[in-house]
Amino acid sequence: VFKSAGRAKRRHFREKMKDMNYLPHTEQDIQEMLETIGVKSIPELFQGIPQEWQLKKLLDLPPAMSEPEIVEHVQPLADKNIAVSQMPSFLGAGCYHHFIPAAVNHLAGRSEFYTSYTPYQAEASQGSLQAFFEYQTMICELTALEVANASVYDGATALAEAVLMSLAVTGRKKVLLSQTIHPEYRQVVQTYLKDLEAELITIPFSEGRTDLPSLKQIINSETACVAVANPNFFGLIEEMAEISGPVHQSGALFIAVVNPVSLGLLKPPGDYQADIAVGEGQPFGNEMYFGGPHIGFFATRPEYVRKMPGRLVGQTTDTEGKRGFVLTLSTREQHIRRAKATSNICTNEALCALRTAIYLSLIGKQGLQQIAQLCFQKAHYAAEKISNLKGFKILFSAPSRLGSRDVHRETVAPFFNEFVVQCPKPPSVINKKLLKNGIIGGLDLKNFYPELKNAMLICVTEMNSKEQIDKLVKCL
């Protein structure tokens, strides 16, 4: 609009702006600015906003406060929040309380990392680029896939980007999502696909896991991808190898949505031939905060690297033969020409990726295995104790594999560190009583799955002691 103004007006404006302290404050100044952009009045400037949405009076705000007065006012409000440091939490469902070594905050808080943004200039960003390269390497080792990016917003957008990539790779339009994927992840995918020529189909579940017969019936030559979570939203371990077969037979891509902590114990996506692995990296050194900012991780196979979203840091050598790091396979169009981009994700998740890299470096391979085993063992201890309570039952069963004589016997379906409990009363009522006893309870599933009435999703991590679990059982 400024360019469309007359040459004399532009020159006049530039002369005024040479004084960096200049701010338009007189009616004449404001009128000159309005004329420059081609409108006659302030109301005309905002005519694109419907009248009913325009503010007609000043906001009803209290007078300004000094900093000490603000602290005195805000602190009691902040004290109404309950932090996991104040009482044990058994709430998971996508955001988890794990131990974070003190060194993570210390190193990630260094000014050279904390204040940096996008590492476009490789010569000035070698430290950050190397950290992201190491992050990508560790994600590849975890998922047993060859390429990982750095990075996408969170687990939900990682899944949505994986779906978009599958559409681009296959040229097909049919997307299958298991109903046992986090409901909010599925909502984000639905939003992404809203204005695209894509068909989104939900695969139903049976006994808490993806119904394989239904999948085989739905999948066909028009399917671009099939996405399944492992462990799924109910905490159950899916039969990923059995699902992978029919997916690849149809020519579709197989997307695994995984809890990264579980990879210390369970088979990685690459081992059951997943084409893309995505998930939420928050458990790796990132605080729960209030649900964000978090970090999505994204790994895939080399043949799909040019369709992969987000940033990719590569290792190279400079003119002197020294090792260096650069952003690679990311054309400028990805950042300025949305129509030609593989993805519209451009914002920086670097600080969260850095925290993840520091955490994994400190914890190490054996440490991650120990954390996964603790989560698994403590969750099974809690489930066993709760199942012995009158009126409580662990939902979802699986046929026993002990032998032919036990073929009719049912056991609890295998789970990682979350499980579903059928309660004798609404979870909302139970959680209020737990809170009064100093315990943050599980998730009421009826909001996401109306058919699961009086069902609660309980999560246990390495941060829950035996005493805390026993207290939960006693209160129940």
Side-chain angles (χ1 to χ4, degrees):
V1 175
F2 180 75
K3 287 181 181 178
S4 67
R7 187 174 298 175
K9 285 186 178 180
R10 293 204 302 270
R11 185 165 56 248
H12 169 69
F13 219 77
R14 287 196 188 98
E15 289 297 322
K16 288 200 132 185
M17 293 304 293
K18 280 181 181 178
D19 178 6
M20 296 303 292
N21 293 321
Y22 170 76
L23 288 173
H25 57 280
T26 67
E27 287 190 15
Q28 183 180 354
D29 292 330
I30 294 172
Q31 193 60 40
E32 287 180 4
M33 292 180 72
L34 291 172
E35 290 176 3
T36 300
I37 61 174
V39 296
K40 296 178 181 179
S41 64
I42 294 292
E44 187 180 345
L45 181 66
F46 297 111
Q47 67 180 355
I49 303 173
Q51 285 292 322
E52 63 269 23
W53 292 352
Q54 291 188 28
L55 193 66
K56 299 295 193 300
K57 60 182 180 180
L58 293 176
L59 293 172
D60 184 17
L61 295 174
M65 296 181 184
S66 65
E67 185 176 347
E69 289 173 326
I70 290 174
V71 172
E72 186 179 0
H73 173 70
V74 169
Q75 191 61 55
L77 300 177
D79 291 341
K80 292 182 178 181
N81 294 316
I82 300 170
V84 290
S85 59
Q86 296 172 278
M87 61 177 67
S89 172
F90 294 92
L91 181 62
C95 189
Y96 302 98
H97 182 210
H98 291 283
F99 177 73
I100 300 176
V104 174
N105 288 332
H106 175 74
L107 294 173
R110 289 181 61 92
S111 60
E112 56 263 54
F113 288 126
Y114 202 70
T115 61
S116 65
Y117 189 58
T118 302
Y120 284 131
Q121 293 177 285
E123 67 276 12
S125 307
Q126 283 300 292
S128 296
L129 288 167
Q130 181 174 356
F132 306 149
F133 181 82
E134 301 295 349
Y135 161 82
Q136 293 171 179
T137 302
M138 287 184 262
I139 295 299
C140 288
E141 290 178 346
L142 273 171
T143 58
L145 291 168
E146 295 85 354
V147 188
N149 67 16
S151 55
V152 289
Y153 302 139
D154 53 21
T157 46
L159 173 58
E161 290 292 335
V163 168
L164 293 185
M165 190 179 101
S166 301
L167 296 174
V169 168
T170 63
R172 301 175 178 183
K173 300 296 182 182
K174 194 172 180 179
V175 175
L176 305 187
L177 299 185
S178 171
Q179 195 180 5
T180 61
I181 292 175
H182 197 305
E184 291 175 346
Y185 285 30
R186 289 187 279 119
Q187 288 172 1
V188 171
V189 173
Q190 187 176 12
T191 301
Y192 266 60
L193 299 181
K194 182 180 178 183
D195 294 316
L196 299 179
E197 293 180 2
E199 181 185 7
L200 181 59
I201 299 174
T202 301
I203 310 164
F205 67 85
S206 175
E207 283 296 335
R209 294 195 285 183
T210 305
D211 188 53
L212 193 54
S214 296
L215 168 61
K216 291 178 179 179
Q217 188 177 359
I218 298 170
I219 197 168
N220 56 30
S221 59
E222 298 175 2
T223 305
C225 62
V226 175
V228 179
N230 187 52
N232 65 30
F233 186 65
F234 303 129
L236 302 181
I237 299 169
E238 296 270 7
E239 297 285 357
M240 300 298 273
E242 292 184 17
I243 295 171
S244 178
V247 173
H248 288 127
Q249 287 172 12
S250 72
L253 298 189
F254 185 28
I255 303 172
V257 185
V258 295
N259 176 345
V261 177
S262 72
L263 298 179
L265 193 62
L266 304 180
K267 280 186 177 182
D271 281 12
Y272 46 78
Q273 283 71 54
D275 298 291
I276 308 171
V278 297
E280 175 58 66
Q282 176 271 326
F284 286 166
N286 290 282
E287 302 282 359
M288 298 174 75
Y289 304 115
F290 290 90
H294 289 163
I295 175 175
F297 62 86
F298 190 112
T300 188
R301 301 196 178 278
E303 55 264 38
Y304 308 129
V305 66
R306 291 190 177 273
K307 297 292 186 181
M308 187 174 69
R311 295 188 177 89
L312 180 65
V313 179
Q315 181 176 270
T316 184
T317 54
D318 64 13
T319 54
E320 298 177 357
K322 296 178 181 177
R323 184 175 70 154
F325 302 90
V326 293
L327 290 178
T328 185
L329 298 180
S330 177
T331 58
R332 286 294 297 170
E333 284 81 7
Q334 180 149 336
H335 304 292
I336 61 174
R337 280 190 184 173
R338 298 178 66 184
K340 294 187 177 181
T342 57
S343 164
N344 290 327
I345 279 191
C346 291
T347 275
N348 194 24
E349 286 289 319
L351 192 60
C352 295
L354 176 69
R355 293 180 66 93
T356 299
I358 296 170
Y359 173 88
L360 289 172
S361 299
L362 291 167
I363 294 297
K365 180 179 179 179
Q366 291 182 342
L368 182 59
Q369 289 175 340
Q370 290 172 1
I371 291 169
Q373 287 169 357
L374 283 170
C375 292
F376 178 85
Q377 292 164 0
K378 291 185 175 187
H380 282 72
Y381 172 80
E384 182 182 355
K385 292 292 184 182
I386 293 172
S387 67
N388 291 329
L389 297 176
K390 184 180 179 181
F392 290 87
K393 177 187 176 184
I394 307 301
L395 275 188
F396 307 131
S397 59
S400 174
R401 296 180 178 178
L402 297 176
S404 58
R405 63 178 179 177
D406 297 311
V407 72
H408 298 297
R409 179 181 162 194
E410 288 192 337
T411 59
V412 173
F415 63 91
F416 177 57
N417 74 323
E418 290 180 279
F419 54 94
V420 179
V421 178
Q422 184 70 50
C423 305
K425 292 184 179 181
S428 57
V429 174
I430 294 174
N431 280 333
K432 286 180 181 179
K433 294 199 173 185
L434 287 176
L435 204 56
K436 289 180 180 179
N437 284 274
I439 296 174
I440 300 172
L443 178 74
D444 189 345
L445 286 173
K446 73 173 183 180
N447 295 326
F448 291 133
Y449 299 91
E451 66 271 29
L452 298 180
K453 188 179 179 182
N454 289 357
M456 179 190 290
L457 180 66
I458 292 179
C459 173
V460 184
T461 73
E462 82 279 13
M463 299 300 287
N464 297 112
S465 66
K466 180 178 180 295
E467 290 74 23
Q468 291 174 354
I469 296 171
D470 290 341
K471 182 180 179 181
L472 169 68
V473 174
K474 184 179 179 180
C475 289
L476 290 177

